[in-house]
Amino acid sequence: MSARIVSPAQHRVMPWRNGGGTTAEIAFEPADTPAGFRWRLSLADVGTDGPFSAFPGCGRTIMLLSGRGMDLTIADPGADPGDLPRTVRLDTKHAPFDFDGEAATSCKLVDGPVRDLNVIADRSLQIDHRVAALDDADAVLEPATVWLFHVLRGTAVIDIGRHLAVTEGETAIIEDEDDRAPHLRGAEADTLVYAVALRPR
């Protein structure tokens, strides 16, 4: 088992090619795939309307962190010919939304810039995720090969045979070939954590 904590100071910030925003890469696992990785966790600051990059062969989850929201227009690759793209409004914070990484997707900001959190993973992996509001009670999670814990508020304690304290804005990455189940609890009242499990399909 390996475990590490990534602080915001360790994020790798990259401007978008179209100039519409920036991506702060939190962590990724490189792989010989069309996307160049097996999975990636990142933050995006979206400043203008425009297209999203496509990630062929990947599933994707996006979650609004700040701002008034955005409308995503998504042309699903499996849609019938002649079907119009669907439009989905993301204006609720901490509500993850799943969509196809290779879908032609563009965004229109509702009222000013937004920040969102993204999980993109190769289709060989299943993305299971939830936003967990924690108190002093332990939450026993299901086993997974990779767990990503991004602390949205407060401080979380993760028990993996040793204790990891992860504070707001930090991310814990736990990789375990034996698929053991971590325990999760809040060290402060009203702790909020985005927990993502990546499992082989």
Side-chain angles (χ1 to χ4, degrees), residues 108-129:
K108 182 175 178 58
L109 299 172
V110 173
D111 183 17
V114 302
R115 168 169 272 205
D116 58 64
L117 183 66
N118 292 267
V119 180
I120 304 171
D122 188 79
R123 291 206 186 284
S124 63
L125 294 172
Q126 176 178 319
I127 304 173
D128 294 322
H129 55 87

Side-chain angles (χ1 to χ4, degrees), residues 1 18 24 71 74 91 103 117 139 160 166:
M1 174 185 288
N18 65 9
D71 291 326
I74 304 168
D91 59 0
L117 183 66
I160 53 170
V166 191

Side-chain angles (χ1 to χ4, degrees), residues 32-119:
D32 184 17
T33 64
F37 52 77
R38 191 162 178 252
W39 57 265
R40 187 180 82 170
L41 177 68
S42 63
L43 294 163
D45 288 298
V46 187
T48 62
D49 303 342
F52 281 7
S53 296
F55 291 92
C58 292
R60 185 170 184 176
T61 295
I62 188 170
M63 182 173 68
L64 181 68
L65 296 181
S66 63
R68 298 293 297 275
M70 55 187 164
D71 291 326
L72 297 188
T73 300
I74 304 168
D76 292 306
D80 293 332
D83 283 356
L84 294 175
R86 61 189 174 115
T87 298
V88 179
R89 173 158 290 193
L90 304 183
D91 59 0
T92 302
K93 293 177 184 175
H94 306 150
F97 172 72
D98 298 319
F99 63 107
D100 195 313
E102 62 191 63
T105 303
S106 62
C107 83
K108 182 175 178 58
L109 299 172
V110 173
D111 183 17
V114 302
R115 168 169 272 205
D116 58 64
L117 183 66
N118 292 267
V119 180

Side-chain angles (χ1 to χ4, degrees), residues 9-44:
Q10 295 172 287
H11 297 173
R12 188 167 70 102
V13 180
M14 301 165 285
W16 293 4
R17 288 190 297 271
N18 65 9
T22 59
T23 292
E25 190 173 76
I26 299 172
F28 75 105
E29 180 184 332
D32 184 17
T33 64
F37 52 77
R38 191 162 178 252
W39 57 265
R40 187 180 82 170
L41 177 68
S42 63
L43 294 163

Side-chain angles (χ1 to χ4, degrees), residues 1 143-144 176-180:
M1 174 185 288
D176 185 3
E177 293 181 356
D178 296 325
D179 282 2
R180 283 169 288 193

Side-chain angles (χ1 to χ4, degrees), residues 140-157:
V140 181
L141 304 172
E142 296 296 321
T145 306
V146 179
W147 274 102
L148 311 173
F149 297 98
H150 183 78
V151 179
L152 301 166
R153 185 173 62 234
T155 300
V157 177

